[in-house]
Amino acid sequence: MAGGEIERLIQLLAKLPGLGPRSARRAALYLLKRQEAALVPLLRAMGDAAAHVRTCSVCGNLDTADPCSICSDGKRDATLVCVVEDVADLWAMERAGVFRGRYHVLGGVLSALDGVGPEDLAIPALVRRVVEQEVKEVVLATGVTVDGQTTAHYIADRLAGTGVAVSGLAHGVPVGGELDYLDDGTIAAALRARHPL
Amino acid sequence: MAGGEIERLIQLLAKLPGLGPRSARRAALYLLKRQEAALVPLLRAMGDAAAHVRTCSVCGNLDTADPCSICSDGKRDATLVCVVEDVADLWAMERAGVFRGRYHVLGGVLSALDGVGPEDLAIPALVRRVVEQEVKEVVLATGVTVDGQTTAHYIADRLAGTGVAVSGLAHGVPVGGELDYLDDGTIAAALRARHPL
């Protein structure tokens, strides 16, 4: 078929989330046919990222600086910390552009099935951070899944003695959502949390 | 959100076929969180590909050698040439593992709408190759689309005076295909090309 270099490139591209063997071949061809326009710039961007991007030692975000640009931004409220599962969730929160506090990335959720315990996540670091720094409120923004909510309850329990206020994101009908397309659980949650108009 | 390096990596990944902005973010996170296991090997594979992979000057295949491993394989029939639109089609043909001749990659199809003429494709090179080397049969394996078939007819016309035999792939019911799921054109083609059992 082709040289071992091409095969190896396809194999590694196929490991990226969202790419299978067929789309990895297409991606490899795209790169090989556009060396100057696509392959070299991507090579450079990946090299820069490998050289400069690191995990923030305070919150777990990925950035070129440590502490990251959010943790070192004096205009952001250091007493308000939003707990997210993953850096992708932090990015989603930042895209919404409404949260002016700081973050704490857990690196996953508790899972008895997968053998993920509190020590495997950044939960002890969160408790330390809450105790040592003057955090006033922790917003738990883990996913609305069984494991995500278990993790949120566990964290709320761990923080119970520290005096910090613990809150969670509201559940309800998504903006732009239609009832007809919503699952029963979401409708039930929205009804329970109904508010006077 | 994150450093400019991460943004740039996401933007470049989003240009790969099969990846959109959201999957490019997931792919970037995958790479950044697994620097040693994923980013560095991919970086190395892309660097090797950029340094070594080139277009075969005979057939247009991509390989680390020029002429490519197919063109320089003495066991493959040099008098039988299969004409394909793209390197991806050559790879698909090789995966089938039944063609023992050599290839000629056109680099596209004729298209009046997109302004692609014979000189933009490797058609003059194919005619030269047929005349200068002792090619006995050309198999036209362009796609069964309007442009693909137009291109095949044009090439057959151009080769008419050279004495080479010109053939095309058979059209019909795909292996594993069910009539109920087939389009009318394919059923009509399969009926026209019916054969005694």
Side-chain angles (χ1 to χ4, degrees):
Chain A
M1 174 165 168
E5 279 87 350
I6 302 181
E7 268 307 301
R8 180 144 178 77
L9 178 61
I10 294 173
Q11 275 170 19
L12 288 169
L13 285 171
K15 288 188 186 166
L16 291 180
L19 285 183
R22 188 163 190 288
S23 43
R25 280 200 297 273
R26 281 176 62 214
L29 265 182
Y30 169 89
L31 289 171
L32 291 169
K33 288 201 280 188
R34 293 166 190 80
Q35 297 225 352
E36 286 311 309
L39 207 160
V40 172
L42 182 56
L43 202 53
R44 205 169 293 139
M46 282 172 55
D48 286 349
H52 301 300
V53 175
R54 67 209 69 193
T55 303
C56 172
S57 57
V58 179
C59 75
N61 187 14
L62 288 167
D63 201 351
T64 44
D66 181 17
C68 73
S69 57
I70 294 176
C71 284
S72 56
D73 183 349
K75 280 182 285 183
R76 298 189 70 129
D77 187 353
T79 68
L80 178 61
V81 172
C82 178
V83 175
V84 290
E85 289 178 20
D86 200 79
V87 177
D89 302 322
L90 187 161
W91 290 356
M93 205 78 180
E94 283 297 284
R95 279 199 302 279
V98 289
F99 183 68
R100 302 306 302 161
R102 300 191 181 173
Y103 293 95
H104 195 85
V105 179
L106 293 178
V109 282
L110 296 175
S111 169
L113 269 180
D114 298 333
V116 181
E119 312 306 312
D120 302 314
L121 305 177
I123 293 179
L126 173 66
V127 176
R128 260 200 317 280
R129 194 174 163 190
V130 166
V131 171
E132 289 172 11
Q133 297 169 22
E134 293 185 346
V135 177
K136 289 183 185 146
E137 181 178 352
V138 167
V139 182
L140 298 174
T142 51
V144 188
T145 58
V146 172
D147 285 343
Q149 292 304 298
T150 306
T151 308
H153 281 292
Y154 177 83
I155 293 175
D157 280 352
R158 283 283 296 262
L159 294 176
T162 62
V164 71
V166 178
S167 59
L169 293 185
H171 305 327
V173 185
V175 177
E178 295 181 55
L179 287 195
D180 197 18
Y181 291 93
L182 274 180
D183 61 293
D184 301 348
T186 302
I187 292 180
L191 192 64
R192 273 198 305 273
R194 68 190 178 278
H195 53 86
L197 289 174
Chain B
M1 171 163 168
E5 278 88 350
I6 301 182
E7 267 307 300
R8 178 141 181 79
L9 178 61
I10 294 173
Q11 275 169 19
L12 288 168
L13 284 171
K15 288 188 185 165
L16 292 180
L19 285 184
R22 188 162 190 290
S23 42
R25 280 199 298 272
R26 280 177 61 214
L29 265 183
Y30 170 88
L31 290 172
L32 291 170
K33 288 201 279 188
R34 292 167 191 78
Q35 296 224 355
E36 286 311 309
L39 206 160
V40 172
L42 182 56
L43 201 53
R44 204 170 293 139
M46 283 172 55
D48 286 349
H52 300 300
V53 174
R54 65 209 70 192
T55 302
C56 172
S57 57
V58 179
C59 74
N61 187 14
L62 287 167
D63 200 351
T64 44
D66 181 17
C68 73
S69 57
I70 295 176
C71 283
S72 57
D73 182 350
K75 281 182 284 184
R76 297 188 71 127
D77 187 354
T79 68
L80 178 61
V81 172
C82 177
V83 176
V84 290
E85 290 178 18
D86 200 78
V87 177
D89 301 323
L90 186 160
W91 290 356
M93 205 77 180
E94 283 298 284
R95 279 199 300 281
V98 290
F99 182 68
R100 301 306 301 161
R102 300 192 181 171
Y103 293 94
H104 196 86
V105 179
L106 292 178
V109 283
L110 296 175
S111 168
L113 269 180
D114 297 332
V116 181
E119 311 306 313
D120 301 313
L121 305 176
I123 294 179
L126 173 66
V127 176
R128 259 200 315 280
R129 194 174 162 191
V130 166
V131 171
E132 287 171 12
Q133 297 168 22
E134 292 185 347
V135 177
K136 288 183 184 149
E137 181 177 353
V138 168
V139 182
L140 298 174
T142 51
V144 189
T145 57
V146 172
D147 286 344
Q149 292 303 298
T150 306
T151 308
H153 281 292
Y154 176 83
I155 294 175
D157 280 352
R158 283 284 294 262
L159 294 175
T162 61
V164 71
V166 178
S167 58
L169 293 184
H171 305 327
V173 184
V175 176
E178 294 182 56
L179 287 195
D180 197 18
Y181 292 92
L182 274 180
D183 61 294
D184 301 348
T186 302
I187 292 180
L191 192 64
R192 273 198 305 274
R194 66 190 180 279
H195 52 87
L197 289 174

